[in-house]
Amino acid sequence: TRPFTLGARADSYYEYLLKQWIQGGKKETQLLEDYVKAIEGIKAHLLRQSQPRKLTFVGELAHGRFSAKMDHLVCFLPGTLALGVHHGLPADHMDLARALMETCYQMNQQMETGLSPEIAHFNMYPRADHKDVEVKPADRHNLLRPETVESLFYLYRVTRDRKYQDWGWEILQSFNKYTRVPSGGYSSINNVQNSHKPEPRDKMESLFVGETLKYLYLLFSDDLELLSLDSCVFNTEAHPLPIWAPA
């Protein structure tokens, strides 16, 4: 059996429960009910806090055992939660969105390059000289993924708190410093923990232009009607799709 995860191969399902409900004019209540039930399940079974900063994170459950492992992909979740609140879901979803957004920011911030690893493990026990976010050697690459800045875009749109723009600006500066290629373009890197030798991979995923830079552009724009959350829904590849008008 596969583990219960919000990371790879499961993330889009939860995102689309909410987004399909919104795009369909909020008529298919079964989608909304399944989404709310999923968030309750996450709260009950997958949420923990790290040490020493008490960062809230979403772990995984396999064969009844909890693993303090969180894919960077899970950082779509604060944005999805905020989008739900924008469309009328309970305020406590926003509390969780803010807490997880802080965690995703720290997944970038606590690395030497200021860029998140592909997978983080969280330290759950108070130990001297240990940060909240720990990385295994096989997981310390960064593929220029969009999830953190995607959620920053939603959090900024919903709260208008400029802190989220500032965090996105820091991440963009880290991309420019450690992944930009002098001859043009950007490259995934092998090691977010080594600012002297990040080890570029000579590969730029299409998602960097199609999603990461698009969400950064929208995050930095103060035109809140530009691809408004009331008129369109972004699919999991960041394509804005119109919300269906009533027939």
Side-chain angles (χ1 to χ4, degrees):
T1 57
R2 282 191 50 75
F4 293 100
T5 176
L6 268 87
R9 290 184 278 179
D11 48 347
S12 301
Y13 168 71
Y14 300 102
E15 187 180 346
Y16 278 160
L17 287 175
L18 177 73
K19 290 181 172 180
Q20 195 63 62
W21 172 71
I22 294 167
Q23 194 193 14
K26 303 180 181 174
K27 292 188 173 67
E28 297 174 73
T29 50
Q30 184 64 53
L31 293 169
L32 177 64
E33 288 166 16
D34 287 353
Y35 172 74
V36 171
K37 204 178 288 181
I39 300 305
E40 292 308 312
I42 291 163
K43 286 181 176 177
H45 302 291
L46 300 182
L47 281 191
R48 297 287 191 283
Q49 287 195 324
S50 67
Q51 294 290 342
R53 297 183 64 152
K54 297 198 170 9
L55 301 175
T56 301
F57 69 94
V58 179
E60 298 186 356
L61 209 55
H63 310 294
R65 293 184 60 176
F66 181 81
S67 167
K69 166 183 179 281
M70 179 167 153
D71 292 355
H72 180 263
L73 289 168
V74 181
C75 287
F76 85 91
L77 186 58
T80 299
L81 287 162
L83 177 65
V85 172
H86 179 74
H87 284 283
L89 269 65
D92 67 331
H93 282 209
M94 198 68 212
D95 297 336
L96 182 56
R98 284 178 180 275
L100 290 173
M101 190 74 262
E102 169 77 32
T103 302
C104 291
Y105 171 62
Q106 290 297 333
M107 281 166 66
N108 290 269
Q109 186 69 7
Q110 292 191 14
M111 299 301 121
E112 261 198 47
T113 57
L115 295 170
S116 171
E118 177 74 355
I119 300 169
H121 287 78
F122 284 85
N123 173 29
M124 291 175 64
Y125 306 99
R127 287 180 288 185
D129 303 331
H130 276 258
K131 289 184 175 176
D132 301 80
V133 187
E134 307 193 322
V135 190
K136 298 190 174 178
D139 304 332
R140 61 191 184 193
H141 50 289
N142 180 292
L143 305 180
L144 311 175
R145 288 195 189 277
E147 287 77 18
T148 297
V149 297
E150 172 185 353
S151 282
L152 287 170
F153 156 69
Y154 283 105
L155 269 283
Y156 176 64
R157 279 282 175 98
V158 175
T159 68
R160 311 283 168 92
D161 185 341
R162 287 191 177 272
K163 166 177 79 173
Y164 298 119
Q165 285 184 319
D166 295 340
W167 289 0
W169 183 248
E170 286 177 32
I171 290 169
L172 175 59
Q173 287 179 307
S174 293
F175 277 132
N176 280 336
K177 191 168 181 184
Y178 297 108
T179 72
R180 194 169 184 172
V181 179
S183 56
Y186 290 72
S187 169
S188 297
I189 57 174
N190 277 330
N191 191 351
V192 296
Q193 292 179 304
N194 189 337
S195 55
H196 301 294
K197 204 176 169 203
E199 293 177 43
R201 287 185 164 191
D202 193 23
K203 184 179 183 186
M204 183 172 84
E205 304 287 345
S206 61
L207 55 80
F208 181 65
V209 178
E211 301 181 55
T212 309
L213 291 181
K214 182 186 290 180
Y215 282 123
L216 283 164
Y217 179 84
L218 291 168
L219 169 65
F220 299 142
S221 171
D222 284 325
D223 177 4
L224 300 173
E225 293 309 304
L226 177 62
L227 299 178
S228 158
L229 299 183
D230 293 312
S231 61
C232 69
V233 167
F234 292 88
N235 75 356
T236 195
E237 269 71 48
H239 300 305
L241 304 172
I243 292 173
W244 301 338

